Amino acid sequence: MLRLGGRSGRSPRDAGDTDFFMRHVMVFLVGMLACILPQTGFANGSGIPDVFVYAESRPFTAVLVEKATQQLWVYAKDENGALYVRHSFACSTGEASGDKQLSGDRKTPEGVYFFLTEFEERYLAPIYGSGAFPIDYPNFMDLRAGKTGNAIWLHGTNKPLRPQDTNGCVALENHNLDAMRGEIRLLRSPMIVVDRLDFQKESMGLEAEQLQGLVRSWVKNLRGDSYHAYLSLYARDFLPDISWWPDWLKLRLTLENQWKDLAFEIRDLDIFRVENRATAIFDLVARAGSAEKVLGRRLLYMETDASGEARIVGDPWLAPPENPIPTGAPFLAGLGVLGSHLDVDGEITRMVDDWLTAWASQKIEPYAAFYARGFRSQGRDRRAWIRYKEGLNRQYSYIRVDREGPLEIRMRGKDRAEVRFLQKYDSSGFETRGHKRLDLIREGGRWKIYRETWEG
């Protein structure tokens, strides 16, 4: 394995140190070699730090801190999906060496963490410089390991930057923090802290494939009739909370009675690793028909067991501190929202189908009931539109109108929606086929048509 620099006894803080100089050279080469990476992953890129296993999110930003050299790098992806070093800065970490264990030990934690929020300069003491980004230390795995402490931030400083000069935070000169702050994606961008950085090796391609497979199996097994397959993906010494499973089976029957194609999907999967632990972050999405709902952002912590198989050792949701995921049954809480969302889609779908039926019946009163008071189309208000349609009903001996395929429904707030579909119209005097757009508004407890547009 190729390492960034050596392990001599000389201080990495000395700018004249050969190892220190070579690390800067290698960081430059990392950026140059990134162009060979595939769009959705980093494995087998020989110039890539081994903390990067897989990534498909866009835009992508990751902050990497090496404590031994007091260096921070910001990695991004270019328009072709290639990983490169966007920024390289000197930083300062905790006064004491080693991984943080206890509150007050003045150490910087090592691992994969995520930025929770941002504090502006006006709300901070001068020691924090031009801004601060708290991370999620102690995270799920830190708490499980009995680690204590809090308030670990990436922040600026108003005093000269010195190596290992913080209480455990990671500090930058203000102008460097300002240069990168706009690229940090809260609850998405990781800050990965290591003692010394290593490069990837060829075997990591297989590791990336195995870890992706584990995450996708976890999502697939959510649809199982039994929790045994779901639990088989977890380490033996970690029992996840499955008290929600019986309620999930009941809710699933309700949902599947209406939406046979209910499925869960992974969106924007990124996987990072520090030592023997990998951290996956992704959005869990539920889909049924043309409707979808993002249930939340999930973390899976994974380790390799004695048999060489990767297993899940932690599975928390990632949420902002001011709006945490409900405890007890976060999965059901998300599905409750999904059910409501899908109910709206089902309600809208039934409304559109009933409207088409009323239209084909050539009975003006049932047809008119689908239009809102403020309706306008083709320069006509609701009253003029109904008169126009009534005249067509008298002109044609029959009207047949249908939709082809599913509706495309986009919510525009709680009480507004946009619907698009392919419409086929046939009457005794005219026939056509094209795209119909309906702007809907909830009025009197029912969805009604506010605007109607034909895109033949």
Side-chain angles (χ1 to χ4, degrees):
M1 181 182 296
L2 180 63
R3 295 185 180 277
L4 292 181
R7 293 181 179 272
S8 70
R10 292 172 292 178
S11 170
R13 305 174 194 172
D14 182 1
D17 188 289
T18 302
D19 284 350
F20 187 77
F21 171 76
M22 288 303 297
R23 286 177 180 272
H24 283 282
V25 173
M26 293 308 297
V27 168
F28 172 76
L29 292 177
V30 165
M32 295 297 293
L33 290 171
C35 63
I36 66 174
L37 293 175
Q39 181 170 348
T40 58
F42 311 138
N44 297 325
S46 60
I48 303 305
D50 67 356
V51 298
F52 298 118
V53 177
Y54 183 84
E56 59 186 26
S57 66
R58 291 283 194 95
F60 177 87
T61 301
V63 177
L64 179 54
V65 176
E66 187 182 39
K67 293 162 69 173
T69 57
Q70 298 290 280
Q71 288 291 306
L72 177 149
W73 299 279
V74 179
Y75 281 80
K77 291 170 104 176
D78 64 20
E79 62 275 9
N80 297 317
L83 185 71
Y84 70 100
V85 177
R86 183 167 176 83
H87 302 288
S88 177
F89 304 131
C91 69
S92 179
T93 60
E95 290 182 3
S97 300
D99 188 12
K100 186 172 185 62
Q101 302 292 327
L102 301 172
S103 177
D105 64 9
R106 307 179 78 82
K107 297 179 181 180
T108 299
E110 297 173 12
V112 179
Y113 298 95
F114 295 92
F115 297 105
L116 297 177
T117 189
E118 178 181 4
F119 294 148
E120 297 178 10
E121 181 177 8
R122 56 181 171 166
Y123 300 118
L124 296 169
I127 191 175
Y128 299 111
S130 61
F133 292 86
I135 62 171
D136 62 337
Y137 177 88
N139 61 25
F140 181 91
M141 297 306 295
D142 293 325
L143 294 173
R144 186 165 177 250
K147 297 181 179 181
T148 60
N150 53 46
I152 302 298
W153 300 354
L154 170 67
H155 63 80
T157 180
N158 288 339
K159 63 180 184 178
L161 189 73
R162 297 185 178 88
Q164 291 189 243
D165 193 36
T166 77
N167 291 330
C169 293
V170 178
L172 294 173
E173 293 179 332
N174 287 332
H175 67 278
N176 288 335
L177 181 69
D178 295 341
M180 61 175 284
R181 69 191 311 154
E183 300 168 38
I184 291 177
R185 299 171 62 198
L186 300 180
L187 302 173
R188 186 77 222 193
S189 298
M191 184 168 81
I192 307 170
V193 184
V194 297
D195 181 40
R196 285 189 177 271
L197 198 59
D198 283 332
F199 282 145
Q200 291 185 358
K201 51 187 176 182
E202 290 300 318
S203 61
M204 287 194 67
L206 178 60
E207 178 185 3
E209 185 176 319
Q210 291 174 338
L211 293 173
Q212 290 176 64
L214 178 57
V215 175
R216 299 188 192 283
S217 294
W218 179 86
V219 174
K220 178 182 177 181
N221 287 351
L222 287 172
R223 292 298 312 277
D225 294 328
S226 167
Y227 56 74
H228 294 293
Y230 178 78
L231 288 179
S232 70
L233 303 177
Y234 287 81
R236 292 185 177 181
D237 62 347
F238 174 68
L239 180 63
D241 177 12
I242 56 171
S243 60
W244 47 271
W245 193 276
D247 291 331
W248 154 230
L249 291 181
K250 295 177 185 178
L251 178 59
R252 175 176 143 184
L253 289 175
T254 301
L255 295 175
E256 288 181 339
N257 282 337
Q258 192 166 0
W259 298 280
K260 302 296 184 184
D261 59 348
L262 175 67
F264 297 106
E265 297 179 0
I266 297 169
R267 181 171 298 168
D268 292 336
L269 172 64
D270 295 336
I271 304 176
F272 311 100
R273 69 186 293 274
V274 170
E275 296 181 348
N276 67 332
R277 177 175 298 155
T279 301
I281 180 172
F282 58 91
D283 290 337
L284 182 61
V285 180
R287 181 183 295 277
S290 61
E292 67 174 40
K293 179 65 177 178
V294 178
L295 300 180
R297 186 154 292 165
R298 200 72 186 251
L299 299 177
L300 292 182
Y301 296 103
M302 300 169 286
E303 293 178 351
T304 302
D305 63 16
S307 68
E309 293 292 325
R311 291 285 186 266
I312 299 169
V313 293
D315 61 355
W317 300 82
L318 184 62
E322 69 275 10
N323 187 27
I325 294 290
T327 57
F331 183 64
L332 292 179
L335 283 172
V337 174
L338 166 68
S340 300
H341 180 79
L342 292 177
D343 283 339
V344 170
D345 281 2
E347 184 182 2
I348 290 175
T349 299
R350 290 188 293 273
M351 171 261 164
V352 171
D353 288 342
D354 291 344
W355 166 71
L356 293 172
T357 300
W359 185 356
S361 76
Q362 298 180 263
K363 296 178 180 179
I364 200 63
E365 288 188 7
Y367 174 78
F370 288 93
Y371 288 86
R373 291 188 298 269
F375 171 83
R376 292 194 66 85
S377 182
Q378 301 178 16
R380 298 181 177 92
D381 61 12
R382 182 180 185 277
R383 180 177 296 181
W385 182 261
I386 299 304
R387 286 201 304 265
Y388 165 66
K389 289 293 186 176
E390 192 172 19
L392 293 178
N393 287 345
R394 290 193 297 266
Q395 181 179 343
Y396 300 138
S397 59
Y398 71 88
I399 293 177
R400 288 191 290 266
V401 59
D402 299 289
R403 65 178 174 92
E404 297 182 1
L407 302 179
E408 179 183 339
I409 302 173
R410 297 180 181 177
M411 300 304 298
R412 302 300 189 192
K414 182 180 179 181
D415 296 321
R416 291 181 180 269
E418 174 190 311
V419 178
R420 295 176 183 267
F421 59 94
L422 188 62
Q423 176 183 292
K424 182 179 180 181
Y425 177 91
D426 179 25
S427 71
S428 58
F430 179 71
E431 65 177 276
T432 188
R433 181 173 178 268
H435 296 277
K436 175 62 68 73
R437 170 178 168 171
L438 301 176
D439 292 310
L440 306 182
I441 187 171
R442 189 180 287 277
E443 185 176 277
R446 295 180 54 192
W447 287 104
K448 296 192 175 184
I449 301 170
Y450 187 71
R451 296 286 186 270
E452 181 176 339
T453 308
W454 174 254
E455 302 171 351

